[in-house]
Amino acid sequence: MRIVPIPCLSDNYAYLLVCRETKEAAIIDASEAGPVLGAIDQGAGTQDSRRDLASLANHNREDVRIVAILSTHHHHDHVGGNEEVRSKLGIDRVYGHASDRGRIPGQTQYLQENETFEIGRLKVRVLHIPGHTLGAVAYVVTHEPDDPVVFTGDTLLIGGCGRLFEGDPPMMSESLSKLAALDPRTKVYCGHEYTESNLRFAAHVEPSNAAIAQARAKASQLRKEGRTTMGATIADELSYNPFLRTSSPEIRRTLGIPDSASPAEALGAIRKAKDAFKIGA
Ligand SMILES: [Zn+2]
């Protein structure tokens, strides 16, 4: 499989997911039509997506057939391009959670937990991960012998998690647990380039964690080169993401979370501290 990040708006990502064998492809989160259509037609975008698209061209880019849009949740910065992209490319499948009916423009497929479908020969499995919104889903994509990938929208972010707009901490805690339990090699592609500010907060709450310093250095280098920080693995995230590390004694000490607090209570406290630390994410 091949994944092409397409930068949209100020810090969103849409993605092109391509099955190299069949040349069928899907767009994950058609955030806005212009950059998505531009990336597909002309190879516009960041250095990263230009390079990826150039190499896509080597794999018969002209033959790539976009067959579906996969929406992670209903927020406008993730579905704003659905209608235009769908009509311009003649796409007849638009996926989203069943409970997002009426909130995802152009939706035709109403997904439930663990439902599966295919993009070419890529197998896609749906995880319902409420918290950021009630209808949030993750798309887990597998194709041997490639490493699996997961598109997490605004639920699990690299180094962080999304704000709790519609759900509560126990809900988000359960959703993040599902993602944490994926194959540790699974690569994470999320909805926003918030990695550096997320890791700043991670370092603040767990200063002695060497994995955070390492991740910050890597993210800073990638951003300097104009590249995305996407594609960190679940194993990476477990080593530095404070929202997956609610039992860390250092995080609990920093934020005054008692030992007796449940993972969900700790997550709520970490989320509250992050909201106060910096607006965003
Ligand atoms: Zn969102």
Side-chain angles (χ1 to χ4, degrees):
M1 72 180 95
R2 172 141 208 97
I3 295 156
V4 184
I6 304 166
C8 295
L9 303 169
S10 59
D11 50 33
N12 277 78
Y13 288 120
Y15 297 97
L16 189 61
L17 168 71
V18 183
C19 170
R20 286 170 144 157
E21 289 163 22
T22 63
K23 311 290 189 276
E24 286 197 2
I27 294 156
I28 289 82
D29 281 351
S31 173
E32 52 173 346
V36 170
L37 294 169
I40 290 162
D41 289 347
Q42 295 136 24
T46 63
Q47 284 178 22
D48 236 23
S49 54
R50 268 200 296 276
R51 185 166 51 240
D52 287 343
L53 282 160
S55 111
L56 198 62
N58 296 333
H59 295 276
N60 301 322
R61 179 182 122 215
E62 64 275 14
D63 292 343
V64 168
R65 197 159 54 87
I66 316 280
V67 297
I69 296 173
L70 279 51
S71 299
T72 61
H73 65 295
H74 73 88
H75 283 161
H76 186 73
D77 61 323
H78 294 259
V79 301
N82 275 19
E83 293 286 17
E84 190 177 342
V85 168
R86 183 191 172 203
S87 68
K88 290 216 165 119
L89 298 179
I91 294 168
D92 52 28
R93 286 190 272 158
V94 178
Y95 291 88
H97 191 254
S99 70
D100 266 342
R101 186 184 285 266
R103 301 207 291 183
I104 293 178
Q107 185 174 5
T108 63
Q109 312 292 320
Y110 302 91
L111 300 167
Q112 301 285 358
E113 172 77 356
N114 258 322
E115 204 166 323
T116 60
F117 58 92
E118 288 173 4
I119 301 296
R121 299 207 180 104
L122 308 179
K123 293 210 171 359
V124 184
R125 184 165 67 95
V126 176
L127 296 179
H128 182 210
I129 48 168
H132 176 69
T133 65
L134 293 177
V137 291
Y139 297 99
V140 182
V141 186
T142 51
H143 178 263
E144 294 297 335
D146 300 339
D147 286 342
V149 307
V150 62
F151 296 94
T152 58
D154 290 352
T155 303
L156 176 65
L157 303 171
I158 306 291
C161 83
R163 291 162 83 97
L164 301 176
F165 286 119
E166 296 175 11
D168 57 17
M171 212 180 249
M172 181 59 104
S173 178
E174 195 188 329
S175 295
L176 291 177
S177 299
K178 279 188 204 172
L179 296 168
L182 291 172
D183 181 327
R185 295 169 304 168
T186 307
K187 293 176 175 163
V188 179
Y189 292 86
C190 69
H192 291 272
E193 183 62 63
Y194 288 157
T195 308
E196 287 189 288
S197 72
N198 284 341
L199 291 173
R200 241 187 333 270
F201 174 75
H204 166 72
V205 295
E206 202 180 21
S208 72
N209 182 345
I212 298 173
Q214 216 176 343
R216 289 184 81 185
K218 186 178 170 192
S220 145
Q221 187 59 38
L222 286 168
R223 295 307 290 151
K224 259 183 227 144
E225 293 168 8
R227 301 170 66 190
T228 87
T229 60
M230 299 300 117
T233 64
I234 290 291
D236 293 333
E237 290 302 307
L238 288 167
S239 76
Y240 55 64
N241 188 324
F243 296 95
L244 302 182
R245 300 176 59 74
T246 53
S247 61
S248 153
E250 192 180 20
I251 293 177
R252 288 189 173 219
R253 218 166 34 242
T254 307
L255 298 177
I257 301 165
D259 290 349
S260 58
S262 69
E265 286 164 345
L267 185 140
I270 299 168
R271 185 62 258 179
K272 215 168 149 192
K274 176 68 165 67
D275 290 347
F277 187 70
K278 190 181 178 295
I279 304 299

